[in-house]
Amino acid sequence: MGKLFGLLGNPVSHSMSPRMHNDAFRSLNLDHHYHAFDVKVSNLESAVNGIRALDITGFNVTIPHKVEVMKYLDEVDEEAKLIGAVNTVVNKDGRLIGYNTDGEGYLQSLQKITGEQLQHMKVLIIGAGGAARAVFTVLSRYGVPELHIANRTKEKAAILANECNCGNTNVMVCSVEEAAMCLDIYDLIINTTSVGMSPNIDQLPIDLGNLRVDSVVSDLIYNPLKTKFLQEAEAKGATILNGVGMFVGQGALAFEKWTGHSPDRSKMEKVVLQQLGGS
Ligand code: ATR
């Protein structure tokens, strides 16, 4: 009999996950189904209990439940604990185990661009929210030698730097303006904030005046596919990476944890791009 998977979030009407996962189930001839459940904050505990009662095999968690959901699970893996958020839950014989595949999904998409060079890169992360924590944690675990965090609220960047450094990475915290002044020292610049996301597509998370032409510029945003930040970086000659790869990566890793099957990531990307109106 087919198994049931889902997403807990609010709102979920625009989620691309159901089509991405259901298409991957079909491609692998799996009789499973993925459904997006719109769950209010006040109903999260009941929703998780419902998952136990219905024996749903696995689910994703998105805004605003990624942190809160942890207290209703039986176990949370080490990386998700470091990041401080869960986006994927596996129901293992009735025990709900939480993971975070956002960071690893991002790392995989980034490595397609940087290859092993990532080991030597000086990196700037803009932002210090949940997405920044996922990116910071995997990059420090990977062994990036130097990671700087620039955030509007500097104290939040300092907390992130203290809590998520799991390697020998040199970490520095600065303001966005300070980072902009010495932008040419960075090999990789990553925007993890929502600045530039639709509908505010004219906003830039940082001034790119001092960008080096041989740097890699990455934006976790995928709507629009090419933010103003990426457009400007590309115009200056930088290599760019949008957030589609991270979205597909986190989904594919969740899919593997749930089913033991490896989905066709390029097909998943196609389904996502169709929904985003890209090609
Ligand atoms: P997410 O989980 O998607 O990372 P979040 O936890 O709300 O979302 O974090 C949002 C990040 O974007 C934060 O770093 C936030 O800066 P503050 O820590 O100062 O709040 C940043 N951010 C959001 N809107 C911003 C804006 N208009 N200008 C600058 N930074 C912004």
Side-chain angles (χ1 to χ4, degrees):
M1 202 173 73
K3 294 173 180 167
L4 189 58
F5 299 86
L7 168 68
L8 306 187
N10 177 258
V12 292
S13 56
H14 291 104
S15 170
M16 298 185 291
S17 294
R19 271 165 71 181
M20 180 174 76
H21 284 293
N22 285 324
D23 185 86
F25 290 146
R26 269 195 302 276
S27 299
L28 287 161
N29 287 319
L30 297 169
D31 184 24
H32 301 336
H33 185 73
Y34 185 106
H35 184 81
F37 296 98
D38 207 327
V39 176
K40 292 193 189 79
V41 170
S42 56
N43 285 332
L44 181 62
E45 185 174 8
S46 327
V48 175
N49 285 334
I51 278 168
R52 289 180 198 280
L54 298 171
D55 200 25
I56 287 174
T57 309
F59 61 100
N60 284 132
V61 187
T62 189
I63 291 165
H65 305 313
K66 283 182 169 187
V67 177
E68 204 67 8
V69 76
M70 292 197 287
K71 62 179 182 228
Y72 305 123
L73 305 177
D74 299 303
E75 198 181 318
V76 174
D77 100 321
E78 283 308 311
E79 184 151 303
K81 271 189 203 155
L82 262 182
I83 294 170
V86 157
N87 80 320
T88 299
V89 178
V90 177
N91 184 348
K92 194 161 183 270
D93 306 321
R95 281 179 63 75
L96 298 184
I97 306 170
Y99 299 90
N100 191 308
T101 65
D102 287 329
E104 184 60 30
Y106 177 70
L107 182 62
Q108 289 181 0
S109 77
L110 181 63
Q111 282 179 296
K112 280 193 195 161
I113 303 276
T114 63
E116 305 219 324
Q117 274 310 307
L118 186 56
Q119 281 173 29
H120 311 290
M121 283 180 151
K122 196 162 187 168
V123 182
L124 173 69
I125 294 177
I126 308 163
R133 291 180 76 95
V135 168
F136 182 97
T137 302
V138 291
L139 290 181
S140 79
R141 165 171 52 76
Y142 177 81
V144 163
E146 195 129 359
L147 259 174
H148 295 184
I149 313 167
N151 193 45
R152 178 177 61 182
T153 315
K154 226 170 159 179
E155 303 79 64
K156 259 174 81 178
I159 292 169
L160 194 173
N162 278 328
E163 290 181 356
C164 300
N165 193 355
C166 47
N168 295 319
T169 304
N170 281 320
V171 183
M172 210 184 82
V173 166
C174 58
S175 69
V176 176
E177 293 71 25
E178 283 163 346
M181 280 194 290
C182 61
L183 209 62
D184 57 349
I185 67 170
Y186 298 109
D187 306 303
L188 168 63
I189 299 156
I190 308 165
N191 174 40
T192 70
T193 75
S194 52
V195 179
M197 191 188 288
S198 179
N200 301 312
I201 57 169
D202 286 329
Q203 295 178 356
L204 270 178
I206 193 165
D207 186 284
L208 289 174
N210 293 322
L211 182 72
R212 241 180 36 225
V213 294
D214 63 341
S215 50
V216 176
V217 175
S218 167
D219 201 328
L220 304 195
I221 294 171
Y222 49 74
N223 185 17
L225 285 169
K226 208 184 275 182
T227 54
K228 186 174 182 192
F229 179 56
L230 292 187
Q231 285 176 34
E232 282 201 7
E234 190 177 44
K236 286 175 179 287
T239 303
I240 60 168
L241 174 70
N242 68 17
V244 172
M246 178 179 184
F247 181 77
V248 170
Q250 63 76 31
L253 290 165
F255 191 100
E256 284 165 2
K257 286 191 187 302
W258 295 329
T259 67
H261 292 275
S262 199
D264 178 346
R265 284 168 162 77
S266 59
K267 181 90 192 305
M268 279 179 135
E269 185 172 324
K270 234 182 222 171
V271 173
V272 168
L273 286 173
Q274 272 167 6
Q275 295 179 79
L276 288 168
S279 51

